[in-house]
Amino acid sequence: MNLREVEVYAAYCCVAEFVHRRRRSGIPIPDPVRSLLARLDASRLLGPEPPPPAEELIDVRAAAEILGRTTRQVRRLAASLDGVRVGDRPRWVFQRSVVEEYAAERDARAAG
C-alpha cells in the first residue's frame, strides 16, 4: 500500500495522539504501536517535500464559506472532503482544491 504524504501525516497524527493519551492515562503502549509511530515519523521526516503551495490547506470556516454550509455541516462532511485532523487540539483541515471540486460537483448535480 502506498500512502500520499498527507495520508502519512494524518496517520502519524492519529497514532501520536493515541500514544499521547495512553501515556497520560498510564496505560502501556503496545510494541507494534511504538514501532508504527517510529516508522510513520521516519517516513514523514524522510518522505518527499511537502505539497507545493498550490495545495493550500483551509480550515472548517473557509470550507463552510466555499460550500455555503455551516461549520457543523462541514465537520459532518469531513470524510467526503478528505479532511485531516491536525494539532494538539485536533482541528479539521482540507485541501482547497478538494473542497472547490466537491462544491462544483454538488452544483452540477443540482443544475442537472
Side-chain angles (χ1 to χ4, degrees):
M1 169 177 18
N2 292 323
L3 299 175
R4 295 178 301 166
E5 184 64 22
V6 70
E7 293 169 326
V8 170
Y9 180 69
Y12 170 80
C13 290
C14 291
V15 175
E17 179 67 18
F18 173 81
V19 168
H20 172 74
R21 287 177 187 235
R22 287 186 75 110
R23 279 187 183 142
R24 192 173 59 202
S25 300
I27 301 170
I29 301 159
D31 288 336
V33 174
R34 287 179 195 267
S35 174
L36 176 60
L37 181 60
R39 287 181 59 208
L40 288 168
D41 191 35
S43 177
R44 187 176 62 88
L45 295 174
L46 300 174
E49 292 296 314
E55 293 294 328
E56 179 185 357
L57 296 178
I58 59 174
D59 64 2
V60 171
R61 273 196 196 118
E65 195 172 301
I66 292 169
L67 296 170
R69 303 279 178 104
T70 66
T71 56
R72 184 175 181 181
Q73 289 170 323
V74 170
R75 284 191 287 275
R76 288 181 179 168
L77 290 170
S80 299
L81 298 171
D82 295 335
V84 177
R85 293 192 79 172
V86 296
D88 291 337
R89 288 181 43 202
R91 294 191 159 158
W92 286 105
V93 294
F94 310 92
Q95 292 180 3
R96 178 179 288 279
S97 60
V98 172
V99 174
E100 289 172 345
E101 182 180 315
Y102 183 92
E105 288 175 6
R106 185 197 63 204
D107 293 345
R109 281 192 308 265

